[in-house]
Amino acid sequence: MAVTYTATVDVTGEGRNGGTARSSDGLLDHRLSIPKELGGAGDATNPEQLLAAGWAACFLGALRHAAAQRRIRLTSTAISAEVTLHHGDDGEFSLLATLAPRLGGVDQPTAEELAEAAHRICPYSRATRGNIPVTVHATAV
């Protein structure tokens, strides 16, 4: 398999508790913080937000690819991604995700078909398949 792109990010300090995430090209440079809901300062980005942003962006690309393959014209695309950090009764942490794409220019069945196709195509979806619960709710707008 040919390498298309490799992102390199270094995290220093205390990781999610006041650390900093910096990409090798310098375009990503964010402090990290534990969310207020988890007892942290909540004054900086957290890893769940970063995962949600990356997954959402990738998923929209997969949606547009699926539409192009089917020669379907989308008039607009948007998505809300939720990544939830869950603390189980066993004391272990896990993730849950919900992806809610909104597609313009198509009817509801087509929006759902494209979202299912995108979920099969998207590298983030493929990487998490079978590892975390993921719900996809597409809406035609």
Side-chain angles (χ1 to χ4, degrees), residues 47-113:
E48 293 75 28
Q49 291 170 329
L50 294 170
L51 176 58
W55 198 343
C58 186
F59 199 88
L60 281 186
L63 272 166
R64 290 203 163 273
H65 180 75
Q69 285 181 322
R70 292 161 177 75
R71 295 191 171 101
I72 296 171
R73 183 177 173 272
L74 297 172
T75 58
S76 64
T77 55
I79 188 168
S80 293
E82 296 177 357
V83 173
T84 301
L85 181 64
H86 183 264
H87 193 207
D89 293 335
D90 59 2
E92 298 293 323
F93 288 96
S94 61
L95 298 174
L96 314 167
T98 301
L99 304 171
R102 298 175 303 280
L103 307 178
V106 296
D107 59 16
Q108 185 62 32
T110 302
E112 291 170 5
E113 174 195 341

